[in-house]
């Protein structure tokens, strides 16, 4: 192969590598599309500490940090002044008894945009029994007189 062919081949390979690397640098988190959304939705985002599923130690103080992502359907968008995001942490022992460990004293906020992300944290001490700790976040009416619109939760086993 002549030198000019080798140079042409190496330039083509270099351009191909740049294109491949350039296409791999995009964020893998999709951008929220513009409203209106068909359904009201809420999820506890993946940026959560401690990591769900990891064992928690009994009689230990923890601070759970989480992000709640939400979208509002047109009907809920019209009534957003009466809606809020609430969260709590509860413990369920092996017999099924539930104990609330920490809760938001008030709704995180009245919902303003059609979609958003809210960062929050709750501090709690794990009981001395075996069981599980669950963080739940939900959209509800303010005051809480109606049904929960949507809910998401994350759980940690207690050993």
């Amino acid at each position: 192969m002549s030198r000019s062919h080798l140079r042409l081949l190496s330039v083509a390979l270099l351009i191909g590598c740049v294109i491949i690397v350039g296409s791999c640098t995009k964020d893998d988190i999709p951008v929220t599309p513009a409203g209106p959304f068909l359904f009201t939705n809420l999820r506890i985002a993946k940026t959560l500490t401690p990591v769900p599923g990891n064992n928690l130690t009994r009689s230990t103080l923890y601070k759970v940090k989480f992000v709640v992502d939400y979208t509002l359907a047109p009907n809920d968008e019209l009534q957003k002044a009466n809606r809020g995001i609430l969260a709590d942490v509860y413990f369920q022992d092996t017999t099924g008894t539930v104990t609330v460990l920490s809760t938001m004293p008030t709704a995180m906020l009245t919902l303003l945009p059609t979609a958003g992300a809210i960062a929050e944290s709750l501090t709690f001490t794990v009981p001395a029994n075996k069981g599980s700790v669950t963080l739940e976040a939900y959209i509800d009416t303010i005051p809480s007189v109606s049904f929960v619109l949507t809910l998401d939760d994350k759980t940690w086993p207690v050993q």
Side-chain angles (χ1 to χ4, degrees):
M1 217 182 234
S2 68
R3 285 184 185 237
S4 61
H5 284 91
L6 286 175
R7 282 187 203 153
L8 186 59
L9 181 61
S10 63
V11 168
L13 285 173
L14 180 63
I15 291 171
C17 288
V18 168
I19 290 172
I20 290 172
V21 169
S23 68
C24 294
T25 60
K26 290 184 180 178
D27 192 359
D28 64 350
I29 301 170
V31 175
T32 303
F37 302 100
L38 294 177
F39 302 101
T40 294
N41 194 20
L42 172 140
R43 72 180 182 93
I44 299 172
K46 60 185 175 182
T47 55
L48 187 78
T49 55
V51 176
N54 287 357
N55 290 339
L56 300 183
T57 306
R58 291 184 260 175
S59 303
T60 304
L61 181 70
Y62 286 92
K63 182 174 190 173
V64 63
K65 296 179 181 180
F66 57 98
V67 176
V68 176
D69 293 332
Y70 70 91
T71 56
L72 296 176
N75 290 346
D76 293 315
E77 169 68 17
L78 294 174
Q79 301 174 34
K80 64 187 170 191
N82 301 328
R83 308 273 192 247
I85 295 177
L86 297 98
D88 56 60
V89 175
Y90 65 87
F91 174 76
Q92 185 169 4
D93 67 16
T94 54
T95 66
T97 304
V98 173
T99 306
V100 175
L101 303 176
S102 184
T103 186
M104 301 300 294
T106 58
M108 288 184 199
L109 64 111
T110 51
L111 305 175
L112 299 176
T114 58
I118 301 163
E120 265 304 332
S121 64
L122 291 170
T123 303
F124 61 94
T125 300
V126 177
N129 306 344
K130 282 189 174 183
S132 62
V133 171
T134 301
L135 163 71
E136 64 180 4
Y138 50 96
I139 298 176
D140 199 356
T141 56
I142 303 171
S144 225
V145 295
S146 185
F147 59 91
V148 171
L149 296 176
T150 183
L151 178 140
D152 189 20
D153 60 23
K154 301 295 179 192
T155 302
W156 299 267
V158 177
Q159 298 299 324

